Amino acid sequence: MRTITLSNGDTVEVDCLSCALTSGKVEPEGGVIAETEHFHAHQDVAYPIRGLVIVASKRHIKGLDELTEQEQQDYITFITKIRKAQREVLGIENVYYFYNEDTTHHFHLWMVPRYDWMYEFGRSVESVRPVLLHARKNKNEWDHIKVLEGIRLLTQVLNE
């Protein structure tokens, strides 16, 4: 078991945070954006960037090559639907996608929007970590409210 501090300051004891989130043991701040049979989408509000969505597999796996054919179909359909909602509902024109297999959590994809203010950090993959840290350190309560509103709007359109 590991002790993890959530973005709201609460701590939880879990073996795997992704398993705890996808099973409902831990509720992400702002709630679940959408779910399918195989995947769960939420925002990591520790990084207050409106429209930043994390898609996690419900099954504890590490890599893309472990997905079944049914999960593969579900995955691409789900992230395509989320991306369309990001563009149409939140006006997000560009997104960086990240997933890594050497994480302490299980398989999950980060869908990180690119806003104009982010380009001062660069236009490459190397700019993403500084952007996330800047958002965590410098964004204020108003940004947090905008993030929660973005979660609400995505949740609404993705669950119609």
Side-chain angles (χ1 to χ4, degrees), residues 20 33 44-45 70 77 97 102 105-106 109 115 122 134 141-142:
I33 292 173
D44 183 347
V45 295
Q70 186 179 16
T77 300
Y97 298 86
D102 62 349
H105 309 308
H106 69 250
L109 173 77
Y115 292 105
H134 175 82
E141 186 62 30
W142 174 243

Side-chain angles (χ1 to χ4, degrees), residues 14-149:
V14 295
D15 288 323
C16 172
L17 181 58
S18 293
C19 285
L21 286 164
T22 61
S23 71
K25 179 179 179 183
V26 172
E27 178 75 17
E29 188 173 356
V32 177
I33 292 173
E35 288 186 275
T36 69
E37 180 181 352
H38 303 287
F39 296 95
H40 174 280
H42 65 278
Q43 170 139 358
D44 183 347
V45 295
Y47 301 107
I49 298 171
R50 182 179 166 110
L52 187 160
V53 176
I54 296 175
V55 177
S57 65
K58 290 184 176 179
R59 191 165 62 90
H60 189 93
I61 59 172
K62 286 292 212 177
L64 192 62
D65 59 320
E66 296 176 68
L67 294 174
T68 67
E69 284 188 34
Q70 186 179 16
E71 289 169 330
Q72 292 170 30
Q73 297 279 328
D74 191 31
Y75 181 66
I76 195 67
T77 300
F78 193 43
I79 62 174
T80 301
K81 186 177 175 183
I82 293 168
R83 180 62 189 106
K84 183 177 180 183
Q86 286 174 314
R87 185 182 313 280
E88 292 178 357
V89 177
L90 301 181
I92 296 168
E93 288 302 316
N94 296 298
V95 170
Y96 283 10
Y97 298 86
F98 296 95
Y99 112 90
N100 59 307
E101 295 178 352
D102 62 349
T103 180
T104 58
H105 309 308
H106 69 250
F107 180 84
H108 62 284
L109 173 77
W110 289 56
M111 299 173 71
V112 183
R114 295 295 290 184
Y115 292 105
D116 288 343
W117 67 266
M118 296 174 171
Y119 292 115
E120 73 182 71
F121 296 93
R123 290 185 172 265
S124 73
V125 142
E126 294 172 348
S127 70
V128 176
R129 185 69 179 156
V131 161
L132 294 173
L133 294 175
H134 175 82
R136 180 182 280 172
K137 181 178 177 185
N138 297 300
K139 296 297 183 175
N140 58 33
E141 186 62 30
W142 174 243
D143 295 301
H144 188 74
I145 291 168
K146 290 190 296 189
V147 165
L148 293 175
E149 176 67 8

